[in-house]
């Protein structure tokens, strides 16, 4: 008889068991054994692993001699719980030192029981906060921490949970680079120094002093620059009057939003409908804009103008407008706007015209946010100048 030896203590690893090869090796060793031949398979019955034994020509009976007896011994006991952290991100994507930001992580409970999970937030490996989230079995959701970075420069953000059955998903990381001034890209084919254009009003509304004392560093880009200038370093990208938006330029904007950026589109000047089509083609099947522009309404050509009505003032992004600002917005004369499609699933209407057309809507896309303004900033489109407040949306 073979000598009896204790099995080593089992330890979970991240490797996948190769059961067909293990059985083939056992069968090879049994070929020279003269006594009773038996294989005991100890398993936790993981379906995806056991399926290899009966897939195609790897049938269990064809792999072993006829007189080999196979026993399957399930591992009994409670299921090992596992908590997973994933999708770490922050909003806004490019924070300013001294500005409150949201640090977000997705927490999943892969056990069959309710779990109270403590998640710790660390900044450069120093504990900064901890929160407890209760998740039902097989449930997951976002957990949000509020934090203010007091210093500029690269800092490492970590989210962590305690030890469990799988250590690989117990900690996730972000690299954050707070700045003193928020860099914002103003994308127009206008001359930003020509009075009356969207580029002129955008750059001056964002950075009224035009020097280092401004909180926002407004940087002008032409539409053609979108394919050559990296956008990932900008806190937001605002697109005004652009003559042409190539597929490469549209893809650059979509990738910027996918990575957590904030995009604001002013829909009044230029071939807006073509731009919307190009952006959607670059985004794939998921809706990119909160709505699609359908038909331009030139109110000025009809001798009139449109005015803004109600807003979602109680929502977090619109609280930046006080009562005086709301009344001022409702006096804005809009000369060009679009009839729109039905809103995309999950789109949020922030401002509405008096005739119920959407004026300002927001939409989440992957990790970022798209805001569509159904008006323009040039004097030929409206007398609205509010891009600085749009950054807070």
């Amino acid at each position: 008889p073979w000598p009896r030896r204790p099995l080593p203590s089992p330890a979970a690893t991240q490797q996948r068991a190769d059961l067909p090869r293990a059985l083939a090796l056992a069968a090879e060793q049994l070929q020279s054994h003269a006594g009773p031949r038996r294989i005991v398979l100890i398993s936790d019955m993981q379906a995806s692993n056991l399926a290899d034994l009966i897939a195609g020509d790897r049938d269990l009976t064809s792999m072993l001699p006829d007189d080999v007896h196979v026993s399957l011994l399930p591992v009994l006991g409670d299921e090992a719980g596992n908590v997973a952290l994933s999708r770490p991100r922050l909003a806004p994507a490019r924070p300013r030192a001294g500005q409150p930001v949201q640090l977000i992580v997705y927490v999943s409970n892969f056990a069959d029981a309710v779990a109270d999970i403590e998640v710790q937030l660390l900044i450069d490996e120093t504990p900064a906060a901890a929160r407890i989230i209760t998740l039902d079995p097989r449930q997951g959701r976002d957990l949000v921490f509020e934090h203010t970075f007091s210093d500029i420069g690269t800092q490492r953000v970590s989210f962590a949970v305690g030890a469990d059955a799988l250590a690989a998903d117990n900690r996730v990381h972000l690299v954050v680079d707070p700045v003193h001034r928020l860099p914002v890209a103003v994308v127009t084919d206008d001359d930003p120094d020509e009075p009356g254009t969207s580029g002129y009003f955008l750059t001056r509304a964002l950075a009224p002093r035009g020097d280092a004392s401004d909180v926002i560093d407004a940087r002008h880009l032409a539409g053609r620059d979108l394919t050559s200038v990296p956008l990932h370093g900008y806190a937001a990208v605002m697109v005004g009057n652009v003559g042409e938006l190539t597929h490469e330029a549209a893809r650059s904007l979509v990738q910027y939003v996918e990575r957590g950026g904030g995009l604001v589109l002013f829909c009044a000047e230029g071939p807006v409908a073509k731009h919307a089509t190009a952006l959607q083609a670059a985004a794939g099947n998921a809706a990119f804009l909160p709505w699609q522009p359908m038909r331009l309404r030139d109110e000025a050509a009809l001798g009139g103008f449109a005015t803004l009505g109600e807003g979602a003032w109680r929502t977090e992004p619109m609280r930046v407008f006080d009562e005086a600002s709301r009344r001022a917005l409702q006096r804005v004369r809009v000369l060009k706007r679009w009839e729109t499609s039905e809103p995309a699933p999950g789109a949020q209407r922030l401002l509405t015209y008096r005739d119920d057309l959407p004026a300002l809507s927001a939409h989440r896309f992957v990790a970022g946010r798209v805001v569509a303004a159904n008006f323009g900033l040039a004097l030929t489109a409206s007398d609205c100048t509010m891009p600085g407040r749009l950054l807070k949306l």
Side-chain angles (χ1 to χ4, degrees), residues 53-381:
L53 299 179
I54 55 174
D57 59 356
R58 307 177 89 177
D59 184 85
L60 176 61
T61 58
S62 66
M63 298 174 58
L64 302 172
D66 294 337
D67 60 344
V68 173
H69 179 72
V70 179
S71 300
L72 184 61
L73 181 62
V75 176
L76 302 177
D78 296 334
E79 179 185 278
N82 181 49
V83 173
L85 300 179
S86 61
R87 292 161 46 190
R89 58 201 188 277
L90 72 161
R94 190 70 185 273
R96 183 167 60 89
Q99 171 196 25
V101 298
Q102 292 184 330
L103 300 171
I104 309 164
V105 66
Y106 193 81
V107 187
S108 302
N109 174 23
F110 287 107
D112 287 330
V114 176
D116 293 324
I117 304 162
E118 182 177 20
V119 182
Q120 190 173 37
L121 172 70
L122 303 97
I123 308 297
D124 288 333
E125 296 304 316
T126 300
R131 291 193 59 190
I132 295 177
I133 181 173
T134 301
L135 293 177
D136 289 333
R138 311 293 173 179
Q139 182 191 29
R141 69 171 184 266
D142 283 334
L143 180 63
V144 180
F145 290 88
E146 298 284 346
H147 185 74
T148 300
F149 293 94
S150 57
D151 299 321
I152 64 172
T154 303
Q155 300 174 56
R156 177 170 171 166
V157 174
S158 302
F159 303 93
V161 295
D164 59 15
L166 182 63
D169 54 13
N170 288 350
R171 180 179 281 236
V172 290
H173 309 280
L174 280 174
V175 175
V176 183
D177 191 13
V179 294
H180 279 315
R181 303 177 67 205
L182 292 176
V184 174
V186 176
V187 184
T188 71
D189 288 341
D190 302 325
D191 181 352
D193 293 322
E194 181 181 346
T197 63
S198 62
Y200 179 89
F201 287 122
L202 267 171
T203 54
R204 283 156 180 78
L206 293 169
R209 301 178 185 86
D211 57 31
S213 64
D214 286 318
V215 171
I216 296 172
D217 179 13
R219 305 175 188 177
H220 176 258
L221 300 176
R224 63 178 178 274
D225 296 329
L226 291 173
T227 56
S228 58
V229 176
L231 298 179
H232 64 268
Y234 289 101
V237 174
M238 295 192 168
V239 179
N241 181 22
V242 175
E244 181 183 8
L245 192 67
T246 65
H247 176 76
E248 292 75 15
R251 185 61 193 149
S252 178
L253 290 172
V254 170
Q255 289 176 335
Y256 168 74
V257 176
E258 287 174 338
R259 295 166 183 164
L263 176 65
V264 181
L265 298 173
F266 293 93
C267 302
E269 302 172 275
V272 174
K274 289 185 178 180
H275 295 348
T277 300
L279 288 167
Q280 187 56 58
N285 295 328
F288 184 71
L289 296 175
W291 37 253
Q292 290 290 317
M294 304 299 290
R295 186 173 71 89
L296 181 65
R297 292 175 59 162
D298 191 340
E299 307 290 354
L302 300 175
F305 56 85
T307 54
L308 298 167
E310 289 303 312
W313 308 120
R314 294 185 179 181
T315 60
E316 183 62 32
M318 297 299 288
R319 290 176 185 170
V320 296
F321 295 97
D322 57 21
E323 190 61 38
S325 299
R326 297 172 190 176
R327 290 195 298 269
L329 280 176
Q330 292 170 339
R331 292 195 293 270
V332 168
R333 296 175 299 175
V334 177
L335 307 178
K336 293 181 180 179
R337 57 184 180 144
W338 286 82
E339 294 178 0
T340 68
S341 67
E342 290 296 314
Q348 181 183 21
R349 184 181 289 201
L350 303 174
L351 272 176
T352 303
Y353 284 107
R354 294 188 185 277
D355 60 1
D356 205 40
L357 271 179
L360 188 71
S361 300
H363 183 234
R364 287 283 179 190
F365 184 79
V366 190
R369 188 174 176 90
V370 181
V371 176
N374 194 7
F375 50 82
L377 298 181
L379 290 179
T380 56

